[in-house]
Amino acid sequence: MEKIEHTTVATNGINMHIASIGTGPAILFLHGFPELWYSWRHQLLSLSSLGYRCIAPDLRGYGDTDAPKNSREYTVFHILGDLVGLIDSLGIDKVFLVGHDWGAMVAWYFCMLRPDRIRSLVNMSIVFQPRNPHKSVVQISRDLFGDDYYICRFQEPGQAEEDFAQMDTARIIRKFLTSRNAKPPCIPKEVGFRGLPDCPNLPSWLSENDINYYAGKFNQTGFTGGLNYYRCLDLNWELTAAFTGLQIEVPVKFIVGELDIAYNMPGVQDYITKGGLKKHVPFLQEVVIMEGAAHFINQEKPEEVSAHIYDFIKKFN
């Protein structure tokens, strides 16, 4: 870990912290919620040893990267502006892109809107869903699962933050990272996120030091930056109307854990296995369902995930 370099890059009006290591073709890793560059620590070390320049930023609102106060400054266009500015500042023309969770959503948009900057994509957990011209993501979520669904609960500024404040930050991180409940997370207000089950013993892939690293950063920043991504879901839907129907036209490998909440959403498994995903991602080349793995697969199965990334991207060097 001490070989990983930490620098700050000015991009798109903010200062962005990046962790990087290695030389060669560039791989850009995009993390999710509630995560940091640190989620890719294993892949940075593994893939840099195989001849790649590995770059993992703290995305806007996270960790040591600036966090604008206005929640409307977290649209996908802001995030993509940060990332294009980042690779420009590093003198990189094209990257191999790797995303997970919210990072996967950003990665889909990146490939849809700026395919000229992408060699190939390895995306995890979140499938590409074409824009519904009639209903926003939040409305679809509310119709399916009601107001207690976590995405709906995250919409009101300050509400989730107040809920999280009832718990120690390390406990919040532990609850999220160790959850293996594949059901859609619905959180009644009277129960709150503190009602999510605690994991008495950390799994072998997660240490107290890992939990403390995340907790230390979120203690400094709070969770608002990450929650603002959810609060821009409807705004993203409004702003991307002109791009309705666009496909993902870069080579893609998709990886998901069989116990992942996202994989167990209604209709998702059929969408993946019966051709729906391939229809909208025509250059989809591989789909990997990781047995026994849950949502945070890049940390839970680091060696396997690194091998899957390498086996795919080496075709496009």
Side-chain angles (χ1 to χ4, degrees), residues 37-309:
W37 75 267
Y38 190 80
S39 302
W40 300 109
R41 59 197 179 278
H42 304 294
Q43 287 74 36
L44 291 178
L45 296 173
S46 176
L47 290 160
S48 64
S49 73
L50 295 171
Y52 291 90
R53 181 183 183 184
C54 298
I55 303 158
D58 284 335
L59 296 178
R60 173 181 290 236
Y62 285 92
D64 294 317
T65 292
D66 288 350
K69 294 189 181 301
N70 189 338
S71 64
R72 295 175 68 85
E73 292 182 42
Y74 289 80
T75 70
V76 68
F77 292 103
H78 289 90
I79 312 305
L80 293 186
D82 299 343
L83 296 172
V84 171
L86 168 63
I87 60 176
D88 282 347
S89 71
L90 297 176
I92 299 169
D93 180 36
K94 290 189 174 187
V95 296
F96 293 109
L97 193 60
V98 178
H100 172 256
D101 187 76
W102 251 106
M105 291 184 66
V106 171
W108 290 126
Y109 278 113
F110 202 158
C111 292
M112 183 170 70
L113 300 176
R114 291 303 307 267
D116 58 306
R117 306 304 298 269
I118 309 300
R119 291 174 181 260
S120 67
L121 168 67
V122 178
N123 234 6
M124 302 179 206
S125 295
I126 307 299
V127 294
F128 176 73
Q129 295 278 10
R131 181 183 181 276
N132 184 319
H134 308 294
K135 278 189 179 181
S136 72
V137 173
V138 176
Q139 188 57 56
I140 291 170
S141 298
R142 188 169 278 117
D143 289 349
L144 280 172
F145 306 116
D147 291 335
D148 288 340
Y149 186 55
Y150 79 106
I151 285 177
C152 303
R153 288 287 314 279
F154 283 170
Q155 293 304 306
E156 187 64 34
Q159 196 171 92
E161 291 92 330
E162 185 177 333
D163 192 345
F164 289 165
Q166 307 301 311
M167 289 180 284
D168 177 73
T169 304
R171 187 180 172 206
I172 299 170
I173 298 297
R174 183 187 289 250
K175 283 176 181 285
F176 275 110
L177 295 188
T178 61
S179 174
R180 301 186 75 76
N181 185 349
K183 294 180 180 178
C186 293
I187 319 290
K189 283 185 181 181
E190 60 273 16
V191 175
F193 286 85
R194 60 193 175 277
L196 291 173
D198 286 298
C199 180
N201 299 303
L202 287 179
S204 60
W205 54 269
L206 193 64
S207 71
E208 290 291 349
N209 285 339
D210 297 332
I211 295 291
N212 291 337
Y213 185 87
Y214 287 112
K217 294 300 180 184
F218 281 102
N219 276 332
Q220 293 173 22
T221 64
F223 289 91
T224 298
L227 291 167
N228 281 339
Y229 286 62
Y230 295 91
R231 292 166 186 159
C232 278
L233 278 168
D234 276 0
L235 183 55
N236 286 336
W237 179 76
E238 293 174 17
L239 295 175
T240 55
F243 306 106
T244 301
L246 280 187
Q247 296 181 322
I248 305 298
E249 297 188 346
V250 303
V252 174
K253 181 174 188 170
F254 181 72
I255 309 171
V256 66
E258 67 171 349
L259 302 177
D260 195 323
I261 291 167
Y263 181 61
N264 288 279
M265 289 289 182
V268 167
Q269 294 183 26
D270 281 350
Y271 177 69
I272 293 172
T273 59
K274 296 184 177 179
L277 182 59
K278 178 73 172 178
K279 176 183 176 183
H280 299 290
V281 186
F283 298 101
L284 177 68
Q285 296 188 13
E286 297 180 50
V287 172
V288 178
I289 313 300
M290 298 189 75
E291 293 183 8
H295 182 66
F296 295 95
I297 49 176
N298 48 336
Q299 298 181 76
E300 182 180 346
K301 302 284 186 181
E303 294 178 359
E304 294 96 322
V305 166
S306 294
H308 278 303
I309 295 170

